[in-house]
């Protein structure tokens, strides 16, 4: 009798109430605002209703969907790869930047700014086919572990964000990554980790060439950068690749400012979200003075733009997908 | 009684037999090969089965999905636009190429090759926002008519190809345009004409800038070309934007050769299709010597590559969507 009563009650509940779509988000106003927004744009017959085809949501990756400390994981891959290449042929370390990178001295490389970072990435991300590069990255994910957490890098995705992505797709949204990270690097793990297929991953890319290699048509990765998907490049790439202005944009650094600004300036209901890294215990705490994921404009202007600032320490009951 | 019998018979027929998915294709081997291919990759439990996520089909646009004679329609738009701009300010016609374009003398412009074409397009496709540009193109489609057919340009899409696109999507394919035409130009009509949303339209594009115009975040079109989506650029752009090798590619000129080559070199069932313009009565007949849509390599090597060559005069019972 009691069991029957429970079953009847559960069946009578609307589907949305039966299960929390965001179980790793604490019951604070942040979660409420996100759910309110989704319910607003998906309720038919209201002026705020948005048809599914226009429910475009864009997400930065580094520091938004997975961690980015002590440095971007793709850069750690590049340093590891360079060290391995230098074992076979030390003469490839032709500059102090490459020498520093090969011995894993990220601090020295980062002092050289974006140019030094690009130099290291170019040296390790070119001269091979896209397939060979992605096989190398896939192996790295299998074998390497983060120095501080001991987790595989693709287990350092944020569980609350994985839930948000799934919730949005369940509600008819398209979810895109729009990241300064490398397009080919990201696609190795983004489908498994986030459920986002390759055609919805936008990122930085170098030139490619189309060649017949031993008679086989092959796309080869060239060293020269073709497009940097950061800052103003993000709205430009979104417009070019998706052809629509998103209604929801999520980022964590000033590299995402233009993307959130363009998104939330559109007509109708729009939402901008910034992940604020406030959790030195479970993750890292950084913003204004960080060399990675610097966040100044977002904190200064975000609130008056109506953007939601996620306080990681308070808003998330769990951080990494790979640990509780 | 008779009615009941008919209903029962119809109900008993597999859905595929109930209606011809390609009614504007004549019953010749071409149509049969296309349908065979689609049935092969969509029949579960066979070695040739392809999951829906990998059923990527790519189509050139000019000369493949719509007509391209006497010159690319986008170029006609550019000449019309330049003539209008020059009425307000004749001083913008700073070169003989621009002067020729403004008086509609396509032949003279085309003698200058690709550079001259780009000069005319750049002059008319930059210095304004994407929205303003697309509003101008939309108005042009509304008001202008093709000099020979009298049809609106967006009615000169090929009915057999519109049917093929729909058939493929009904069978779980994703259908992409991969064209040398301008990205922003195409997106004005491709969703209505072909059912292809903006994020599945790849094309040539110029640089964009992100600017605050009177305080409003705006994507502006700049004059410098950023990417030409032709020849080897097509497989490169497909890999970059879709992240998968297609299983079906359709084109009509040597600008599509690399796209078909890369597509059909993949493992498993693949299909390359070339539209051969053989119909001087209902459309145009041209190939090896044409200044637009030149087709030499495709005719010489296509058959031995196993590609299907569509004979427009024989394989299509109807040509334009806008006329019978």
């Amino acid at each position: 009798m009691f069991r029957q009563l429970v079953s009847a009650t559960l069946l009578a509940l609307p589907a949305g109430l039966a299960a929390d779509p965001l179980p790793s988000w604490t019951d604070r106003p942040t979660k409420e605002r996100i759910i309110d927004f989704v319910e607003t744009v998906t309720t038919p017959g209201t002026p705020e209703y948005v048809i599914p085809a226009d429910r475009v949501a864009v997400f930065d990756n580094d520091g938004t969907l997975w961690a980015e400390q002590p440095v971007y994981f793709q850069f750690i891959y590049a340093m590891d790869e360079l060290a391995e290449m230098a074992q076979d042929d030390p003469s490839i370390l032709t500059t102090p930047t490459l020498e520093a990178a090969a011995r894993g001295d990220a601090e020295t490389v980062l002092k050289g700014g974006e140019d030094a970072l690009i130099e290291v990435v170019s040296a390790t991300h070119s001269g091979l086919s896209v397939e060979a590069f992605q096989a190398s990255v896939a192996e790295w994910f299998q074998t390497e572990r983060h120095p501080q957490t001991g987790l595989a890098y693709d287990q350092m995705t944020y569980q609350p964000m994985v839930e948000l992505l799934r919730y949005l797709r369940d509600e008819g949204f398209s979810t895109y990554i729009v990241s300064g990270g490398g397009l080919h690097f990201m696609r190795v793990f983004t489908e498994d980790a986030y459920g986002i297929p390759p055609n919805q991953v936008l990122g930085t890319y170098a030139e490619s060439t189309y060649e017949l290699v031993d008679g086989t048509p092959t796309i080869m990765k060239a060293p020269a950068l073709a497009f940097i998907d950061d800052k103003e490049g993000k709205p430009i790439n979104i417009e070019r690749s998706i052809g629509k202005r998103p209604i929801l944009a999520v980022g964590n650094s000033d590299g995402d400012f233009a993307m959130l600004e363009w998104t939330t300036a559109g007509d109708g209901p729009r939402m901008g979200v910034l992940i604020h890294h406030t959790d030195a215990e479970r993750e890292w705490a950084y913003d204004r003075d960080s060399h990675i994921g610097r966040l100044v404009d977002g904190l200064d202007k975000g609130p008056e733009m109506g953007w939601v600032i996620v306080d990681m320490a308070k808003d998330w009951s769990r951080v990494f997908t790979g640990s509780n």
Side-chain angles (χ1 to χ4, degrees), chain A:
Chain A
M1 171 66 193
F2 178 68
R3 181 177 292 173
Q4 279 178 346
L5 199 67
V6 171
S7 298
T9 308
L10 278 176
L11 284 170
L13 283 172
L17 295 180
D20 181 350
L22 301 175
S24 299
W25 293 70
T26 59
D27 289 326
R28 282 173 33 91
T30 306
K31 177 178 182 169
E32 203 177 315
R33 282 181 70 184
I34 292 171
I35 292 178
D36 277 355
F37 174 77
V38 173
E39 291 183 348
T40 296
V41 300
T42 56
T43 304
T46 71
E48 290 81 21
Y49 178 72
V50 176
I51 59 169
D54 291 339
R55 292 179 203 158
V56 174
V58 290
F59 291 79
D60 169 59
N61 185 43
D62 296 309
T64 298
L65 296 180
W66 75 348
E68 60 181 350
Q69 296 287 358
V71 285
Y72 302 125
F73 296 172
Q74 183 179 357
F75 182 61
I76 300 178
Y77 163 78
M79 290 193 298
D80 287 354
E81 189 63 18
L82 194 63
E84 203 170 299
M85 289 162 68
Q87 279 191 331
D88 291 343
D89 179 8
S91 75
I92 62 167
L93 305 179
T94 50
T95 68
T97 295
L98 294 178
E99 282 171 10
R103 64 173 185 267
D105 180 359
E107 207 174 329
T108 297
V109 177
L110 288 172
K111 278 182 193 150
E114 194 177 73
D115 284 351
L117 214 128
I118 289 171
E119 182 182 347
V120 175
V121 170
S122 288
T124 51
H125 288 52
S126 64
L128 74 179
S129 70
V130 172
E131 285 89 344
F133 171 76
Q134 292 186 321
S136 163
V137 174
E139 195 195 330
W140 180 81
F141 275 118
Q142 287 293 322
T143 55
E144 299 302 320
R145 295 296 175 266
H146 189 278
Q148 281 142 289
T149 65
L151 292 170
Y153 289 98
D154 56 359
Q155 292 294 304
M156 289 180 67
T157 52
Y158 300 134
Q159 177 63 21
M161 298 305 286
V162 171
E163 292 167 6
L164 177 57
L165 290 167
R166 192 183 302 134
Y167 171 49
L168 290 169
R169 288 193 297 265
D170 285 348
E171 296 294 330
F173 280 73
S174 304
T175 54
Y176 285 83
I177 290 173
V178 183
S179 167
L183 184 66
H184 292 139
F185 180 86
M186 289 192 286
R187 284 177 175 165
V188 172
F189 75 100
T190 42
E191 184 144 24
D192 282 348
Y194 309 128
I196 298 183
N199 63 319
Q200 295 181 343
V201 178
L202 318 186
T204 293
Y205 51 85
E207 297 291 349
S208 296
T209 58
Y210 177 78
E211 297 173 25
L212 295 184
V213 178
D214 298 330
T216 302
T218 306
I219 312 267
M220 299 287 291
K221 287 175 70 64
L225 262 184
F227 184 77
I228 300 181
D229 190 38
D230 196 27
K231 301 189 178 75
E232 287 74 17
K234 291 199 175 196
I236 287 170
N237 200 13
I238 292 168
E239 196 285 320
R240 194 177 272 163
S241 303
I242 309 177
K244 286 184 181 178
R245 196 194 297 232
I247 63 168
L248 171 62
V250 188
N252 77 299
S253 81
D254 286 346
D256 303 312
F257 190 89
M259 176 168 82
L260 268 71
E261 181 183 57
W262 187 58
T263 298
T264 57
D267 294 332
R270 307 272 166 166
M271 180 169 265
V273 179
L274 284 172
I275 310 296
H276 189 194
H277 291 263
T278 52
D279 195 330
E281 282 188 31
R282 296 182 301 175
E283 209 240 5
W284 286 271
Y286 59 96
D287 45 42
R288 292 174 187 274
D289 301 319
S290 178
H291 62 294
I292 295 277
R294 192 164 172 271
L295 181 65
V296 178
D297 288 350
L299 290 178
D300 289 344
K301 300 176 194 165
E304 73 196 50
M305 312 273 278
W307 299 348
V308 175
I309 315 289
V310 174
D311 183 328
M312 194 185 268
K314 294 182 181 161
D315 286 317
W316 290 0
S317 59
R318 177 177 165 188
V319 177
F320 297 126
T321 307
S323 65
N324 288 312

